[in-house]
Amino acid sequence: MTFPAPGVLLVWSGDRPRCHAAAIPPGGLTLGRELLDELLGDVDDDRISREHTQLIPAARSVAIRDLVSRNGTYIDGQPLYNSAELPFRGAPFTVIRTGRSIWVLVPEVTRYQRITLSRRGRLVVGASLAKICAAVEVAAIDRVHLMLTGSVTVGRELARSYATVVGGKAAHFDSDSKRCLREVLERSQPQTLVFAGPVGKPDLQFLETVLDGELRIVTLVKDPRWVSALPPLLQQRLAQRQLALPEKRYDEISTTVFDLIRDVTPAAQIHATVIERCMVGARELDEDSLLVRLRESLLRWRMQPTEALRGDHVTLSNPDHAEPLIEARAIPVTLHARPSDPPTDASWHNRRLCVDGDCYGVIADGSCKVCGRLEPLGDPYR
């Protein structure tokens, strides 16, 4: 995937979700306090530098360079070392953490610049879902049967919106239902049926008998195989209008995660690494799985809460496998005239860099580890 109109999304800053887009001009874009102030009108991040990270567009990637920032730059959860001469080549949807702010590289930034976040029930709606929501309303006004393919979590909220426009009661029926479809419809007398398969043959046969009535049906499809096994005529009738939900909602997922955390652990102090981990996880997991595993992690953390909820407390690995689904990509390291391994001491995250502009050493015990220069009184990076 290339970057036709490269940009970056600010999805978190300080202690709350954000949704602001910035284009990356040909000359590059600097992430830092000045850009935060331009996007937000204030800066709620006490760990970001004035000029923290530089982004420079290329043909098929965006070069990412740490500008000797006080607290470092993180790529997909991993620290970026020695990027002055050999920047990291970021692909679309690379996650960048600068201080307490989270950014995501996007290939087509213009689609995010025109739309701000809103809510539809419990659903967070931004550029990713705006057109889908409008199409759902039109389907409800036209009173056609609707099929939504993708996340069941998102589909249920959109089905609720559809039912609101249609009016009357709504009923839900899926494969876990303990009652047959006839019983559900006779008891509730709904105007809208939210139908999630696969279900048994008797229920499907009864469904065919009510398709020509006043009942409107919204079919939620996460696995399309059960739909493809239906008789062709029934497929066509259920999908009078069909909409594919977006697989990834990078502009909306941070707020969705924030809402879930507030529901499960209202008093939690949310560290930026939690959002970082979920944004990286969204590339590997579908939204339903991501939210289920996040909820499980929150329930475990709630039993033994610490001072703050951090990314280390969130487990998004597949429970059926020992190997995690999220694996950090290798970070290229610059080959200097005097190569040195990345520092491994625990003080790296709170490092103070040498004041010599030609040296990338770290201050320890009052002097630079590389060139030996003594730190002067005062800290120019403070």
Side-chain angles (χ1 to χ4, degrees):
M1 182 183 296
T2 60
F3 283 90
V8 64
L9 280 179
L10 174 66
V11 299
W12 182 271
S13 186
D15 61 355
R16 70 196 72 178
R18 313 281 190 170
C19 185
H20 298 274
I24 304 176
L29 178 71
T30 299
L31 308 182
R33 298 183 67 86
E34 292 183 355
L35 181 58
L36 281 185
D37 186 54
E38 178 183 334
L39 295 176
L40 306 177
D42 64 343
V43 179
D44 189 23
D45 184 349
D46 56 1
R47 296 182 67 82
I48 194 170
S49 301
R50 185 175 63 86
E51 295 183 347
H52 200 112
T53 306
Q54 186 181 38
L55 307 178
I56 302 176
R60 296 182 177 272
S61 63
V62 171
I64 306 173
R65 176 184 287 117
D66 181 70
L67 298 177
V68 200
S69 60
R70 180 184 179 94
N71 293 298
T73 298
Y74 289 75
I75 306 295
D76 291 343
Q78 302 298 316
L80 177 61
Y81 297 113
N82 300 330
S83 60
E85 297 179 12
L86 182 62
F88 178 77
R89 298 293 176 179
F93 310 116
T94 294
V95 179
I96 306 169
R97 174 160 58 92
T98 57
R100 299 168 64 204
S101 298
I102 308 294
W103 316 75
V104 180
L105 294 180
V106 291
E108 183 59 63
V109 71
T110 52
R111 65 187 294 253
Y112 301 102
Q113 292 176 314
R114 298 186 295 266
I115 299 175
T116 58
L117 289 185
S118 61
R119 292 185 183 274
R120 180 162 303 208
R122 295 178 60 85
L123 192 63
V124 179
V125 179
S128 296
L129 281 180
K131 290 184 179 180
I132 296 290
C133 289
V136 168
E137 285 192 7
V138 172
I141 293 172
D142 294 342
R143 299 185 66 83
V144 296
H145 301 311
L146 175 65
M147 182 176 288
L148 298 174
T149 305
S151 166
V152 173
T153 303
V154 176
R156 289 191 186 280
E157 291 298 322
L158 291 175
R160 185 177 290 112
S161 176
Y162 176 100
T164 300
V165 176
V166 169
K169 295 181 180 179
H172 295 260
F173 185 79
D174 56 34
S175 56
D176 296 329
S177 180
K178 297 180 180 179
R179 295 181 294 174
C180 67
L181 180 58
R182 181 189 296 271
E183 182 182 358
V184 169
L185 296 182
E186 289 179 350
R187 282 195 175 189
S188 58
Q189 295 293 313
Q191 291 294 310
T192 302
L193 173 67
V194 182
F195 181 73
V199 294
K201 187 174 181 180
D203 290 317
L204 288 175
Q205 291 175 339
F206 179 73
L207 181 66
E208 291 187 80
T209 66
V210 299
L211 282 174
D212 293 326
E214 292 298 318
L215 180 68
R216 300 297 91 190
I217 299 174
V218 179
T219 307
L220 306 182
V221 182
K222 184 171 184 178
D223 185 350
R225 288 176 295 182
W226 74 270
V227 175
S228 61
L230 297 177
L233 182 58
L234 180 57
Q235 293 183 44
Q236 294 176 11
R237 299 182 73 184
L238 287 176
Q240 289 180 333
R241 198 155 300 169
Q242 186 170 3
L243 297 173
L245 305 180
E247 294 183 4
K248 310 298 179 185
R249 302 192 296 136
Y250 293 101
D251 54 333
E252 301 157 346
I253 195 65
S254 63
T255 305
T256 301
V257 166
F258 178 79
D259 290 347
L260 177 58
I261 295 174
R262 283 289 174 257
D263 285 344
V264 179
T265 57
Q269 299 177 27
I270 306 173
H271 195 270
T273 52
V274 176
I275 306 302
E276 175 186 54
R277 188 161 183 79
C278 290
M279 297 302 295
V280 174
R283 291 206 305 264
E284 306 294 336
L285 298 171
D286 63 75
E287 185 170 332
D288 296 334
S289 300
L290 174 69
L291 296 180
V292 166
R293 295 178 191 179
L294 174 59
R295 179 181 289 274
E296 293 171 350
S297 296
L298 295 174
L299 292 175
R300 288 194 298 269
W301 179 83
R302 194 171 64 177
M303 297 176 64
Q304 296 179 329
T306 55
E307 183 177 347
L309 177 66
R310 303 178 63 90
D312 293 342
H313 301 130
V314 177
T315 301
L316 301 179
S317 58
N318 190 332
D320 297 329
H321 299 84
E323 293 296 325
L325 290 180
I326 304 172
E327 296 182 358
R329 289 175 292 167
I331 306 295
V333 178
T334 304
L335 296 178
H336 295 287
R338 295 181 299 169
S340 60
D341 294 331
T344 57
D345 55 283
S347 65
W348 171 255
H349 296 293
N350 298 316
R351 70 194 190 281
R352 301 171 70 182
L353 300 176
C354 181
V355 296
D356 186 347
D358 296 325
C359 178
Y360 297 99
V362 178
I363 299 296
D365 300 325
S367 63
C368 177
K369 290 183 177 180
V370 175
C371 68
R373 179 170 177 163
L374 294 177
E375 179 186 19
L377 293 176
D379 184 356
Y381 297 101
R382 192 180 297 278

